Amino acid sequence: MATGALAGGDQLPTVRQLAVDLSINPNTVIRAYRELEIRGLLETEQGTGTFISHQKVPRDDAERQRRLNQLVGEFVARTGSAGFTVEELLEQLQAVQSDAGKKRR
């Protein structure tokens, strides 16, 4: 929801379907759906299903930074396992940034 992959009004899978898809206990899905509903992010309509609410998701700077750190760590690890150095990675990122800047002009 925070990334925009899900929009207000989108229907979520049923508890049973999501539990099967993720190979987890349905009680785990129920608890997760309930927590998101308490926070106002989901709306459950009896007999119809569970939907993403139209409420805007506030951006949590700490969570955003944590996610960026996680992505960077994964990216550096993957490029390292492919035989590239951090310096090569930085050079390529700077080249991509430079190219993106030229395209905006």
Side-chain angles (χ1 to χ4, degrees), residues 11-12 14 43-51:
Q11 186 170 10
L12 296 179
T14 64
E43 298 170 356
T44 300
E45 298 174 14
Q46 194 65 32
T48 307
T50 304
F51 300 86

Side-chain angles (χ1 to χ4, degrees), residues 7-10 40-41 43 52-56:
D10 287 352
L41 302 174
E43 298 170 356
I52 303 294
S53 79
H54 291 280
Q55 170 184 322
K56 292 286 184 189

Side-chain angles (χ1 to χ4, degrees), residues 11-59:
Q11 186 170 10
L12 296 179
T14 64
V15 168
R16 182 173 296 152
Q17 184 61 53
L18 189 57
V20 168
D21 291 348
L22 299 176
S23 300
I24 60 175
N25 189 305
N27 290 328
T28 304
V29 177
I30 291 169
R31 283 194 302 270
Y33 276 15
R34 187 177 310 132
E35 179 64 29
L36 292 169
E37 192 168 3
I38 288 168
R39 293 177 183 212
L41 302 174
L42 296 183
E43 298 170 356
T44 300
E45 298 174 14
Q46 194 65 32
T48 307
T50 304
F51 300 86
I52 303 294
S53 79
H54 291 280
Q55 170 184 322
K56 292 286 184 189
V57 177
R59 293 239 179 225

Side-chain angles (χ1 to χ4, degrees), residues 6 8 19 26 44 47 52 59 67 76 91 97 100 104:
L6 297 172
T44 300
I52 303 294
R59 293 239 179 225
R67 181 67 178 133
V76 168
E91 287 174 13
Q97 182 182 26
R104 282 189 225 135

